[in-house]
C-alpha cells in the first residue's frame, strides 16, 4: 500500500478520528474545548485522536495552529487529506489483472 494511502487509512480507521477530522474541516482553528463541545466527544478522546492524527500526518495534514491566549488551535490541511484519501480510493479500486 502506498504511504499516503496508508496515512489516510490510519486516519479514518477509528470513528473518533473521523469525527475530529470532520469537525476541524468545518471549523478550522478550533481549540480542544471547542472540538469537545462541537463533536460531543470526551476531552481525553479528542486529545488522543489529535495526537494520533498528528503522528499519522507527519507531512503536516493536521498541524498545531497558532496560540490563541493559552489555547492551542488545530486545523487540517484539506488538500493533503484529499490527496491521501484519493490515493487510498485508487489503491482499493485498482484492478490486479
Amino acid at each position: 500500500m502506498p504511504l499516503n494511502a496508508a496515512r489516510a487509512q490510519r486516519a479514518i480507521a477509528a470513528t473518533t478520528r473521523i469525527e475530529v477530522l470532520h469537525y476541524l474541516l468545518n471549523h478550522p482553528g478550533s481549540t480542544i474545548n471547542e472540538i469537545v463541545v462541537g463533536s460531543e466527544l470526551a476531552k481525553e478522546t479528542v486529545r488522543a485522536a489529535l495526537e494520533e492524527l498528528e503522528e499519522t500526518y507527519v507531512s503536516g495534514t493536521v498541524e498545531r495552529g497558532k496560540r490563541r491566549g493559552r489555547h492551542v488551535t488545530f486545523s487540517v490541511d484539506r488538500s493533503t487529506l484529499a490527496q491521501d484519501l484519493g490515493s487510498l480510493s485508487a489503491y482499493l479500486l485498482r484492478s490486479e489483472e
Side-chain angles (χ1 to χ4, degrees):
M1 177 182 303
L3 178 61
N4 53 348
R7 272 197 313 252
Q9 187 277 330
R10 173 88 174 125
I12 63 172
T15 304
T16 54
R17 288 193 295 270
I18 292 172
E19 291 300 321
V20 169
L21 280 170
H22 183 261
Y23 185 84
L24 286 174
L25 286 166
N26 290 292
H27 304 91
S30 296
T31 64
I32 287 180
N33 288 335
E34 291 167 337
I35 300 167
V36 167
V37 170
S39 67
E40 299 180 353
L41 296 170
K43 189 170 190 172
E44 287 307 313
T45 301
V46 170
R47 187 181 315 272
L50 287 169
E51 287 176 8
E52 288 189 36
L53 288 169
E54 287 178 315
E55 289 175 14
T56 304
Y57 281 90
V58 176
S59 65
T61 298
V62 177
E63 56 191 35
R64 286 190 184 271
K66 299 177 182 174
R67 289 203 173 266
R68 191 169 65 196
R70 292 173 41 185
H71 302 284
V72 176
T73 60
F74 297 88
S75 296
V76 175
D77 180 342
R78 188 180 288 263
S79 175
T80 302
L81 178 62
Q83 288 173 6
D84 287 357
L85 289 170
S87 293
L88 178 59
S89 177
Y91 175 76
L92 290 171
L93 298 173
R94 82 170 182 216
S95 174
E96 292 194 19
E97 295 177 16

